[in-house]
Amino acid sequence: MPIRLGLSLPQAQQYDIGRDVPDVARTAERIGYESLWVYERALFPEPQTQGLYGIEGMPWPQMYRGVPDPLVTLTLAVSATERARLGTSVLVAPLHNPFQLAKALGTLDAASGGRVVAGFGTGWSLDEYAAASVAPFEERGKALDEVIDVCRAVWGPDPVSYETRHSKVASAVVAPKPARPIPILVPSNSKKAMTRLVDRLDGWMPIAMGAEQLAAQWRQLQDLAAERGRTEPIRSVVRVNAQYTPKAYDGADRSAFQGSVEQIVEDLAAHAVDGLEEFFFELQGQARDAQELKDVAAEVYEAVRAAGI
């Protein structure tokens, strides 16, 4: 069975969000993409106070300037589509008030007819935590657990009741409810994060950084699930940060998913480990405008399907 394919929605500065997001979403669904994705960057520190991913000296990419709110972006795609799932990869969950986030995601799922996928992460930007988080950076794991607890409570049957460190609902009706249980996926690179996934969550959301590394992490996750007695399958959605260039690969050194469409397809085939269900392409950062993004997305989709992956 072919893997499912998804596409990132336009969030970079070169796009007109109100016009281009619905246009790209509608076109991607027509091409055949089964899911549409957004990411979160709350701010762009200037001057830079911390390196990308917390790595000293590593600059933030320019596409991180002025990233629109992920849930607003997905809302723009709802009425433009009918079938495609609408996902976050990832939403930095501790930057949000848990109750308000749960209510927003539940409303979005109800509006879309049950198409939301909640990809949560803890983030790495100290500046974003200083600006927006309800908990300090050092407590990001606990903050993520609290978001998960509140979401599950709010999305569940009424009357809703719960008590966490930062909020309490004694007994209340909270609606609209999601059209179906919203799946929660996380990146999970550490043993602790993998254990949270196996014990509590629906799926895994890694980045394709190398075929061997991806396969090894997938085996590790499956082994941990067996060890802890999980019987429910682990869903998977792999993010592909593709660097498209129109020229064929000329033999120069490169990382995975950099080069021509043919090279991207070859790399995808290498990463398509048995059991991984879905891959989505991040192509919007390099495209000059929405038309180029749609053209490249169509070319990549057709090439992947022609290759029978």
Side-chain angles (χ1 to χ4, degrees):
M1 183 176 178
I3 59 172
R4 295 200 295 263
L5 297 177
L7 183 71
S8 284
L9 289 170
Q11 291 178 277
Q13 283 188 307
Q14 65 266 38
Y15 301 105
D16 181 311
I17 301 303
R19 180 190 67 212
D20 292 341
V21 169
D23 180 31
V24 171
R26 187 181 302 109
T27 302
E29 187 177 70
R30 186 166 60 246
I31 290 168
Y33 285 101
E34 297 177 71
S35 56
L36 302 167
W37 299 87
V38 294
Y39 71 98
E40 181 163 39
R41 279 274 68 83
L43 49 74
F44 188 97
E46 196 169 49
Q48 184 173 300
T49 57
Q50 180 191 23
L52 183 69
Y53 309 130
I55 301 172
E56 186 175 357
M58 182 174 288
W60 291 39
Q62 289 301 304
M63 68 176 287
Y64 282 180
R65 284 182 175 271
V67 176
D69 180 88
L71 296 186
V72 173
T73 305
L74 283 185
T75 301
L76 291 169
V78 168
S79 60
T81 56
E82 297 178 353
R83 301 176 303 279
R85 292 183 304 283
L86 305 167
T88 59
S89 177
V90 292
L91 195 83
V92 185
L95 301 185
H96 299 263
N97 174 284
F99 179 83
Q100 292 175 329
L101 178 59
K103 180 75 181 266
L105 286 168
T107 303
L108 187 61
D109 193 73
S112 67
R115 294 188 281 142
V116 170
V117 179
F120 288 163
T122 55
W124 47 266
S125 170
L126 299 177
D127 295 281
E128 290 182 338
Y129 269 78
S133 180
V134 297
F137 182 77
E138 293 75 20
E139 297 179 13
R140 58 194 181 279
K142 291 180 180 179
L144 174 58
D145 285 330
E146 182 171 335
V147 169
I148 293 167
D149 289 340
V150 171
C151 282
R152 292 273 167 78
V154 169
W155 299 339
D158 290 325
V160 171
S161 63
Y162 68 81
E163 184 171 1
T164 69
R165 294 182 301 160
H166 298 106
S167 64
K168 175 181 178 180
V169 173
S171 180
V173 173
V174 184
K177 298 294 185 185
R180 91 299 189 222
I182 298 175
I184 299 176
L185 284 68
V186 290
S188 298
N189 296 317
S190 68
K191 178 67 176 294
K192 184 176 182 179
M194 284 188 174
T195 301
R196 177 191 287 115
L197 189 165
V198 166
D199 290 350
R200 306 192 61 199
L201 304 176
D202 300 288
W204 186 43
M205 186 170 278
I207 298 175
M209 298 292 286
E212 292 184 4
Q213 179 182 353
L214 183 66
Q217 289 179 329
W218 181 234
R219 287 193 301 269
Q220 182 182 0
L221 192 58
Q222 294 294 316
D223 290 344
L224 182 62
E227 175 187 318
R228 299 185 69 84
R230 177 173 175 140
T231 57
E232 182 183 357
I234 296 173
R235 297 179 58 162
S236 60
V237 180
V238 183
R239 181 187 183 96
V240 175
N241 292 327
Q243 302 292 314
Y244 169 79
T245 56
K247 296 180 180 179
Y249 171 51
D250 59 5
D253 289 339
R254 61 170 185 82
S255 301
F257 298 102
Q258 291 186 359
S260 65
V261 167
E262 292 76 16
Q263 187 62 58
I264 291 173
V265 172
E266 182 180 324
D267 288 338
L268 180 63
H271 283 75
V273 177
D274 185 40
L276 295 178
E277 306 167 288
E278 184 168 3
F279 289 73
F280 77 90
F281 293 104
E282 163 58 63
L283 296 167
Q284 58 100 15
Q286 283 194 314
R288 289 171 295 184
D289 53 31
Q291 187 58 56
E292 183 174 60
L293 174 57
K294 292 186 292 182
D295 291 345
V296 174
E299 188 178 358
V300 170
Y301 182 89
E302 291 166 6
V304 171
R305 290 305 180 219
I309 299 173

